[in-house]
Amino acid sequence: MAKIGINIATGSLQKEEIIVGIDLGTTNSLISIIHPDTKQPVALKEHNSSLPTGQAGSLVPSIVHFDSKGNITVGESAKQYLITEPHNTIFSAKRLMGKSYNDIKNNSSFFTYKVIDDDTESLVKVQAGQKFYSPIELSSFILKELKQRAEHILKTPVNKAVVTVPAYFNDTQRQATRDAGKLAGLDVLRIINEPTAASLAYGIGLNKQEHKTIAVYDLGGGTFDISILKISNGIFEVLSTNGDTYLGGDDFDNAIVKFWLQKLSLKEEELKNNKQFAQSIRLKAEEAKKQLSFKEEFVGQLNYSSPLADGGGPEGAGHELKISKSEFEELIRPYIDKTIACCKNAMKDAKLTNADIDVIVMVGGSTRIPMIKKIISDFFGKAVNDTMNPDEVVALGAALQADILAGNNKEFLLLDITPLSLGIETRGGLMDILISRNSKIPTKASRQYTTQVNGQSGIKISVYQGERDMVKDNRKLAAFNLTNIPAMPAGLPKVEISFLINADGILIVKAKELRSGIEQSIEVQPQYGLTDQQVEKMLLESITHAKDDIATRALLEAKTEGEQLLETTEKFIYKNANELLVGELETTAEAMQALQLALTMEDKDLIHSKIEELNNISRPYAERIMDQAVSKAMQGKTIS
Ligand code: AMP
């Protein structure tokens, strides 16, 4: 049922339900809409924001705090507990979306709260107080906060949203994001890629005639992503993505902190032993970093008392903290070089040269640093797009996409590609690919299969993702049974399996027996997600094992062919025993035995030769018996 909102400020009825755009970020999140008057996207800001001017009041820190009574707070008010109650203050939940403990165990020291590690295969949970929360629930708290803020500002119910995710998010992570929306009471109409949203915000792709190749450089507080997109005929396509999930503005703050500790002759232990001091100096470092985006030097004061600092001055003394722009630039240079290496990889994967890039879009607070803009612009050989607020562009683009969905820009389609091939298991454990890797989505494909046994009433469909020929080397996504197939001889049922990947990148598998019309479908929600590295590893393995795979496939195909020939020969003999000569029966039995034996050996050529022998023996009598059958059928029928 559609709800109609009343704008309390104006008393007017909101005829069309509003669809908001949400950037659910690792560090910060925000919500944006198309302004009803200007028709331009705007980020929603609380008017009575307690934040100092100059800081975007639209940003909601993606932090959730649980107090001892079970009360939940989100955003700025939760942030203050990061230092004082690290166990109950959850940040960076996005990094855990759709992940198992196995996926994140190498970075477990990053999380200051408890990530449950007792079952390494299933999705992670986080412990806060006596309760356990999934990353989906944690994200839903953030989304709920955003929804409430929007409702408060707009004075109208907000039930529908477009939510952005990184371009590299897999099916599980996209589904998890969608579920988080559902839990927060939001109908997530579309999940779109962050770089696509940022490009849209810059108006790229809004003109259908446009053909452009875009590099989106996204450097936030904790993560770095580079995405190469192609836009043609209003269709966005992700050509490649690369990045570092643990590189961002926080590293720059830490680098400044270390620099100052050295200047003050303090050890790094000081940070561990004196949490208050650690927090103060970090905040100063971030302030310095921000100021150095438009000043040549930062000079500040820090008051602290230290039990460790020998001769560090009297208790509570003020210390001068200084850093120049060039010192700062030298500190962060290695990090920027890392991002350039990622850009090079992304260009290689997209099979493009730097000169092919028509537009560079800058996203994320850290791209305000002038040196970064310069290095990126030099790398691609053209000026960067930096006129919009880099913290807001993704949400603004999401609002534009929401507007498209609301029917204001109908001819749009957003396109992504599948990172790995998708298929089902066929006889002998072989992978039969229905949708190959790098297919543009949305997409669909279908193929017909049949039964192997007479009267077979069910067929098991196992869905896999990966590039290897054997399903056991790929990753199982789901399995289901098509049951109640009416009894038919083997080979007669026509089972059509169809794969559909919708615009959100979610796979729906359907199986239908065409003669009887019975069908069964499943929406694939895999158990846990694949990391970029895993996708890369699976691709690499498919290449290094390509030779083995071809040999294995050939052997399996030979075995299957041999088994089928044995089955049909046996049936034929059973049915036509009376028509066969004793000698024929004997030689056939021998050839069948020889083939049976060959099937137990891993030699495809041997199997083929035994298949051939059996065929040579059975062919003459099979033809004779068929001729007899034909002439019997013709008896009494004359051609006049
Ligand atoms: P995001 O994750 O996109 O919200 O980016 C947040 C990061 O941008 C944090 O590390 C901020 O410290 C950083 N940031 C914000 N403004 C500036 C600025 N003027 N100069 C450098 N870094 C900034």
Side-chain angles (χ1 to χ4, degrees):
M1 193 186 71
K3 289 182 187 152
I4 295 176
I6 301 171
N7 186 329
I8 295 177
T10 62
S12 66
L13 285 183
Q14 189 114 26
K15 287 185 206 76
E16 280 165 24
E17 202 176 347
I18 199 151
I19 310 176
V20 295
I22 295 180
D23 171 8
L24 182 61
T26 310
T27 327
N28 293 305
S29 297
L30 74 158
I31 193 161
S32 135
I33 59 157
I34 299 294
H35 195 283
D37 301 331
T38 64
K39 308 286 177 220
Q40 293 300 311
V42 284
L44 294 179
K45 293 184 175 97
E46 294 270 17
H47 290 306
N48 57 353
S49 167
S50 56
L51 293 170
T53 41
Q55 279 193 37
S58 53
L59 294 183
V60 177
S62 306
I63 301 172
V64 184
H65 173 256
F66 300 90
D67 74 8
S68 54
K69 295 194 196 91
N71 297 319
I72 299 169
T73 48
V74 174
E76 275 311 324
S77 44
K79 196 174 181 176
Q80 65 197 30
Y81 295 106
L82 270 182
I83 303 288
T84 52
E85 290 182 43
H87 296 297
N88 295 330
T89 313
I90 318 298
F91 62 95
S92 276
K94 186 175 175 180
R95 294 180 190 276
L96 303 174
M97 285 293 252
K99 301 266 173 153
S100 72
Y101 186 72
N102 247 339
D103 295 331
I104 56 131
K105 63 172 186 277
N106 293 339
N107 297 304
S108 59
S109 62
F110 173 85
F111 303 97
T112 50
Y113 43 87
K114 184 153 177 51
V115 181
I116 305 302
D117 58 355
D118 43 10
D119 185 350
T120 52
E121 289 297 286
S122 57
L123 293 172
V124 291
K125 285 215 166 198
V126 161
Q127 184 174 9
Q130 295 309 308
K131 283 198 173 163
F132 300 97
Y133 299 93
S134 69
I136 296 176
E137 285 170 285
L138 296 167
S139 298
S140 83
F141 298 142
I142 298 167
L143 288 171
K144 204 183 261 172
E145 171 73 21
L146 291 170
K147 172 178 148 78
Q148 280 167 359
R149 282 191 189 205
E151 289 176 336
H152 182 239
I153 297 167
L154 298 169
K155 315 258 182 299
T156 179
V158 171
N159 300 305
K160 292 184 174 167
V162 167
V163 181
T164 59
V165 295
Y168 59 79
F169 255 30
N170 62 22
D171 291 355
T172 323
Q173 292 166 305
R174 285 166 198 264
Q175 187 63 46
T177 307
R178 186 178 274 279
D179 290 346
K182 219 182 276 171
L183 270 182
L186 284 170
D187 184 4
V188 179
L189 300 180
R190 186 65 61 89
I191 298 276
I192 65 165
N193 289 326
E194 288 160 9
T196 302
S199 306
L200 275 176
Y202 272 102
I204 303 156
L206 291 174
N207 168 3
K208 282 210 77 181
Q209 269 40 284
E210 215 166 20
H211 297 272
K212 285 210 163 105
T213 310
I214 312 149
V216 182
Y217 182 97
D218 181 348
L219 187 62
T223 60
F224 167 65
D225 296 313
I226 172 79
S227 310
I228 310 298
L229 311 180
K230 196 172 95 187
I231 166 99
S232 55
N233 304 318
I235 296 175
F236 278 95
E237 193 181 334
V238 180
L239 298 182
S240 66
T241 66
N242 210 292
D244 186 331
T245 43
Y246 291 91
L247 193 165
D250 297 346
D251 294 310
F252 308 160
D253 302 346
N254 289 336
I256 297 177
V257 169
K258 274 192 191 164
F259 174 81
W260 282 339
L261 286 180
Q262 245 175 21
K263 292 264 178 232
L264 297 172
S265 312
L266 290 173
K267 298 203 177 75
E268 276 181 46
E269 284 160 57
E270 189 81 8
L271 300 175
K272 283 197 199 103
N273 297 328
N274 191 341
K275 293 262 151 77
Q276 217 63 47
F277 166 71
Q279 189 180 18
S280 314
I281 197 165
R282 274 212 183 97
L283 285 175
K284 276 278 173 235
E286 191 182 4
E287 192 187 328
K289 172 183 77 175
K290 288 182 178 173
Q291 287 200 15
L292 291 174
S293 287
F294 52 88
K295 272 170 54 177
E296 289 304 309
E297 192 178 45
F298 171 86
V299 185
Q301 287 288 322
L302 185 71
N303 294 315
Y304 78 97
S305 53
S306 161
L308 273 188
D310 284 338
E315 294 250 314
H319 280 264
E320 196 182 61
L321 296 173
K322 255 170 58 171
I323 184 165
S324 72
K325 191 175 193 164
S326 57
E327 282 167 332
F328 171 65
E329 289 179 348
E330 202 181 310
L331 287 179
I332 66 165
R333 182 78 213 203
Y335 297 105
I336 313 308
D337 289 345
K338 258 194 190 172
T339 70
I340 292 290
C342 293
C343 291
K344 284 183 183 157
N345 287 335
M347 294 303 289
K348 207 167 101 199
D349 287 350
K351 300 191 177 63
L352 294 175
T353 62
N354 291 5
D356 295 325
I357 298 293
D358 302 308
V359 189
I360 311 160
V361 173
M362 300 299 261
V363 181
S366 300
T367 60
R368 288 199 180 90
I369 297 172
M371 179 176 77
I372 297 183
K373 292 186 199 183
K374 176 160 190 324
I375 290 175
I376 300 310
S377 139
D378 288 349
F379 178 75
F380 288 111
K382 51 185 63 71
V384 299
N385 275 284
D386 61 352
T387 49
M388 298 183 81
N389 181 336
D391 290 316
E392 291 181 355
V393 276
V394 169
L396 298 179
L400 280 166
Q401 172 63 19
D403 197 41
I404 293 167
L405 287 179
N408 301 334
N409 222 333
K410 282 200 177 86
E411 290 152 60
F412 258 98
L413 191 65
L414 295 177
L415 217 73
D416 286 322
I417 52 168
T418 54
L420 292 167
S421 300
L422 293 159
I424 64 163
E425 175 177 2
T426 55
R427 194 166 171 156
L430 286 174
M431 171 90 174
D432 199 26
I433 291 174
L434 275 101
I435 294 178
S436 53
R437 160 179 146 71
N438 280 344
S439 295
K440 293 174 181 139
I441 57 173
T443 184
K444 54 184 182 181
S446 62
R447 197 167 295 160
Q448 282 186 18
Y449 299 86
T450 189
T451 51
Q452 288 162 2
V453 181
N454 283 336
Q456 188 176 332
S457 66
I459 187 165
K460 185 171 182 193
I461 293 118
S462 301
V463 184
Y464 285 84
Q465 184 177 40
E467 307 311 308
R468 301 286 301 276
D469 271 359
M470 302 292 303
V471 291
K472 71 173 170 50
D473 299 319
N474 290 328
R475 177 166 172 270
K476 189 170 185 170
L477 295 179
F480 67 103
N481 289 309
L482 179 67
T483 51
N484 298 326
I485 300 175
M488 279 183 252
L492 210 57
K494 282 188 183 168
V495 179
E496 186 180 76
I497 310 277
S498 49
F499 276 35
L500 167 76
I501 308 183
N502 67 20
D504 297 332
I506 289 163
L507 172 68
I508 295 143
V509 180
K510 210 186 260 173
K512 183 173 183 178
E513 201 290 302
L514 298 176
R515 293 183 195 276
S516 57
I518 59 151
E519 64 178 9
Q520 190 76 41
S521 71
I522 188 169
E523 195 167 298
V524 177
Q525 295 176 16
Q527 280 290 294
Y528 58 93
L530 287 180
T531 61
D532 282 359
Q533 286 83 350
Q534 281 171 306
V535 170
E536 226 166 72
K537 191 166 156 248
M538 287 172 85
L539 290 178
L540 204 71
E541 278 177 359
S542 77
I543 298 165
T544 47
H545 293 282
K547 259 195 182 150
D548 301 350
D549 276 3
I550 291 168
T552 317
R553 179 176 274 271
L555 176 64
L556 274 163
E557 278 170 357
K559 278 188 178 174
T560 306
E561 193 186 334
E563 279 164 11
Q564 274 169 350
L565 181 64
L566 283 175
E567 271 171 41
T568 47
T569 313
E570 206 173 299
K571 274 185 209 147
F572 188 87
I573 291 179
Y574 182 76
K575 217 172 128 197
N576 303 292
N578 292 337
E579 318 286 333
L580 292 169
L581 306 171
V582 177
E584 285 170 338
L585 281 172
E586 274 172 12
T587 47
T588 304
E590 273 167 29
M592 282 175 77
Q593 252 176 19
L595 175 57
Q596 193 90 53
L597 188 68
L599 288 179
T600 63
M601 293 184 242
E602 308 292 287
D603 182 347
K604 82 168 184 343
D605 294 335
L606 181 70
I607 298 172
H608 279 305
S609 77
K610 297 298 162 197
I611 287 174
E612 179 120 355
E613 276 174 39
L614 179 55
N615 272 330
N616 287 342
I617 289 168
S618 60
R619 196 173 299 116
Y621 61 73
E623 279 170 5
R624 187 183 75 224
I625 290 169
M626 270 169 61
D627 284 350
Q628 282 171 5
V630 171
S631 64
K632 222 183 202 171
M634 296 295 287
Q635 263 172 28
K637 289 183 188 164
T638 53
I639 301 161
S640 55

